[in-house]
Amino acid sequence: MTGCVHCRNKVPFELPPALVDACKKGEVVIFAGGGISTEGRNVFPYSLYEDIKDELGIGNEISFPDLMTQYVARTGDKRALLRKIKQRIDYAKSFPELEQLASIFHQELSTIHQIQEIVTTNWDDFFENDCAATPIVADSDFAYWDQPFRKVYKIHGSINNPGSIIATAEDYRLGYRKLNQSVMGGALRQLLATKTVVFVGYSFRDAEFGRIYEYLRKNMGKILPHAYFVTLNEE
């Protein structure tokens, strides 16, 4: 499909009635990945993954965490990776047109008041800024758990809390172990076991999506409810 970056994504679709009903009842959870934010192809010509892979001169395909691990090993300083992540987000925010492209999904979601829970692997703060969502990053943030406002569970950390960011293989290992043991992990399992989950911003070929869904299947088994997957790929 040709045309502008907006028109080419306007693909005809039908919402499943069960999903519409779940949304009306406030029983839908959005599980969002990088494709709905700065990592969308309509924002930058290259993803963070591709940018770092090119900088390191790596030709073969490796996983995202392994690539970030190699970058930290090459630079000898994880702060260099954190600066690179922050600069990418800040750059998108510094140009109104780029920020608009990076936050189209967030702005649309802000109008659907029935959706009160969002889970994301994204580090940026677009959900906080555009959807008025309160970030839940650490167990201490669960003071807001039962409050009647929109919340975003940032399972890979937040750019506003650099120490919380999960990027390298070691970060992932420790992060998923923590999810198995923490208050946040228990609350997320309860949330995802009782609500209808809509995955958006991922690819079926995305190793990160596979890691997340495998985590859910392993920890929730047969009680994992029906989920939906939003994609522009007609296949």
Side-chain angles (χ1 to χ4, degrees), residues 14-140:
E14 292 184 10
L15 278 173
L19 179 56
V20 175
D21 291 340
C23 187
K24 289 179 179 178
K25 296 175 184 176
E27 297 176 352
V28 169
V29 176
I30 295 294
F31 209 122
I36 56 92
S37 187
T38 56
E39 298 310 289
R41 288 293 183 182
N42 60 334
V43 182
F44 292 113
Y46 301 103
S47 66
L48 175 67
Y49 175 91
E50 292 167 331
D51 187 22
I52 290 181
K53 191 167 173 240
D54 181 65
E55 183 175 335
L56 296 180
I58 296 175
N60 59 307
E61 290 298 316
I62 63 174
S63 72
F64 183 89
D66 287 341
L67 180 65
M68 299 303 119
T69 300
Q70 288 198 30
Y71 184 81
V72 172
R74 187 77 61 89
T75 60
D77 188 355
K78 188 179 179 181
R79 291 175 300 176
L81 175 60
L82 298 179
R83 283 195 300 271
K84 199 172 189 69
I85 291 169
K86 188 175 189 305
Q87 286 169 355
R88 188 176 179 86
I89 295 172
D90 288 347
Y91 188 86
K93 288 182 176 181
S94 65
F95 295 93
E97 290 184 3
L98 282 182
E99 184 173 18
Q100 171 70 16
L101 290 172
S103 61
I104 288 175
F105 178 85
H106 309 77
Q107 293 173 30
E108 291 290 342
L109 183 63
S110 70
T111 67
I112 309 175
H113 66 86
Q114 294 93 339
I115 297 179
Q116 291 292 297
E117 285 99 9
I118 305 158
V119 182
T120 186
T121 55
N122 297 344
W123 304 306
D124 60 69
D125 55 4
F126 290 122
F127 282 118
E128 293 93 313
N129 295 338
D130 295 308
C131 298
T134 297
I136 306 293
V137 182
D139 284 352
S140 57

Side-chain angles (χ1 to χ4, degrees), residues 179-191:
L179 272 182
N180 280 324
Q181 302 170 349
S182 67
V183 174
M184 178 183 284
L188 284 174
R189 286 192 292 276
Q190 179 182 3
L191 182 70

